[in-house]
Amino acid sequence: MTEDRWRERLEAFFELRASSIDEKPTLDDLCYIAGRNPRLWADGRLLDDLRQDMLGLMNVDGAASVLEVGCAAGFLANVVAPSVNEYVGVDLAEAPLAVARRLQLKNASFERASGERLHFSDQQFDAAFCYDVFSNFPSFAAGEPIIAEMLRVVKPHGRVLIGSIPDRERAEELQVIARNLTTKFEQEFGPEAERAPLGTIRKYEQRSGAAAKIASLLGLSKLSAPIPVEIKPEIVSYYFDRKDFIALGRRLGVETRIVDIHPLNPYFGTRFNAVFESR
């Protein structure tokens, strides 16, 4: 298993879920693809609270251009895009982007790109955000290049919002909240409707090692041909320390603030936002 296999498993999760949606997505569909609880986000007050909190933290208005890194199928595009002038979302997986385009948001575009290597010009956007994404990274180091790239593409004094990060110091409390919410919704609405089980994604990898090189030199195609690898979809939630984001801001030479997530969210106090301001 390569060190990047977690990325492939994560991409497969979103790719396979999004591939099951072939029409304009509903809120339930967007939650399903993103791994969110649709019963929680059916509350319009919660969505409004999230919208106002994000816009305030990014310090943007209706004239702003905003970038989202890790947009998936557009759950947050649906929240943010109507309140800004231009929204651009990027993601590694193509199937969720296809679903996002079917939202038909007039001022939004969706592109395939790596957050570590954004193809945008320096200082192109008024603000950028990456929300409910950092928790997918198995280490803080995995997310550092993404934050640096986001800071590169925002204008001077533009803000980069890294949102809804699970707090390592509040991990047990967060897990209790998650269990209680599941119990509450099942008591009120019954079990969630089941969707078709996800399959796997097959990829082909080049053989490595001395034997593969020799086989290639000798023209032994069967022994040097790429081998099939089955990628199983998986999403894991990781926890992080607030101090690491403050320390990163110091290393990058930018102002950094740590604040709680929006107050109506039931996970308030157990997840936090990191806000970086470009120089």
Side-chain angles (χ1 to χ4, degrees):
M1 180 177 294
T2 67
E3 62 178 5
D4 285 336
R5 190 67 81 203
W6 68 269
R7 299 176 189 268
E8 296 176 335
R9 294 196 298 265
L10 184 64
E11 184 178 343
F13 176 90
F14 294 109
E15 191 78 22
L16 291 169
R17 285 196 169 203
S19 295
S20 68
I21 309 300
D22 54 12
E23 297 180 352
K24 185 176 181 178
T26 63
L27 176 63
D28 189 79
D29 292 332
L30 295 177
C31 288
Y32 168 70
I33 295 170
R36 293 176 178 269
N37 188 322
R39 291 167 171 176
L40 176 64
W41 292 102
D43 186 345
R45 295 171 302 172
L46 187 62
L47 286 171
D48 288 339
D49 189 48
L50 172 62
R51 177 186 298 107
Q52 294 304 317
D53 189 62
M54 292 181 68
L55 295 174
L57 290 174
M58 290 189 287
N59 192 31
V60 295
D61 56 23
S65 60
V66 173
L67 170 70
E68 179 181 8
V69 174
C71 65
F75 176 86
L76 288 173
N78 227 15
V79 172
V80 173
S83 298
V84 298
N85 180 58
E86 179 192 21
Y87 165 96
V88 178
V90 300
D91 203 277
L92 279 174
E94 181 57 43
L97 293 172
V99 174
R101 294 182 187 111
R102 291 201 291 272
L103 288 169
Q104 300 177 342
L105 296 168
K106 294 181 179 180
N107 64 333
S109 61
F110 300 91
E111 306 175 24
R112 189 171 189 179
S114 167
E116 298 170 343
R117 294 177 297 278
L118 296 171
H119 53 263
F120 304 108
S121 303
D122 293 356
Q123 303 179 5
Q124 181 170 337
F125 298 94
D126 293 302
F129 68 94
C130 182
Y131 208 97
D132 270 322
V133 174
F134 214 92
S135 57
N136 298 326
F137 301 151
S139 68
F140 185 81
E144 285 189 43
I146 295 174
I147 296 174
E149 267 292 86
M150 293 171 72
L151 283 165
R152 178 185 67 80
V153 301
V154 298
K155 297 173 183 177
H157 305 295
R159 295 180 183 178
V160 167
L161 167 62
I162 309 299
S164 195
I165 306 160
D167 192 336
R168 194 189 308 276
E169 292 186 355
R170 309 295 291 273
E172 291 186 10
E173 183 180 344
L174 189 154
Q175 292 164 13
V176 169
I177 293 171
R179 290 194 297 269
N180 289 343
L181 282 174
T182 298
T183 300
K184 174 179 179 291
F185 289 133
E186 286 186 351
Q187 290 175 345
E188 290 182 6
F189 307 109
E192 282 191 52
E194 292 188 7
R195 301 221 183 199
L198 299 178
T200 61
I201 289 180
R202 173 171 289 193
K203 294 188 175 182
Y204 290 86
E205 295 184 348
Q206 292 294 331
R207 298 173 188 266
S208 60
K213 292 181 180 178
I214 293 172
S216 178
L217 291 172
L218 295 176
L220 302 176
S221 58
K222 289 185 177 180
L223 296 179
S224 60
I227 56 175
V229 177
E230 298 291 333
I231 307 297
K232 295 182 179 180
E234 181 182 43
I235 189 167
V236 178
S237 184
Y238 297 93
Y239 298 84
F240 295 91
D241 295 310
R242 298 179 179 222
K243 62 181 177 59
D244 289 335
F245 292 87
I246 296 293
L248 176 61
R250 291 197 188 102
R251 292 197 299 274
L252 296 175
V254 298
E255 181 182 341
T256 309
R257 289 189 297 135
I258 304 297
V259 296
D260 281 316
I261 57 172
H262 54 118
L264 292 186
N265 193 307
Y267 291 98
F268 183 83
T270 66
R271 288 175 172 264
F272 62 90
N273 300 320
V275 184
F276 300 87
E277 184 167 326
S278 178
R279 291 174 292 183

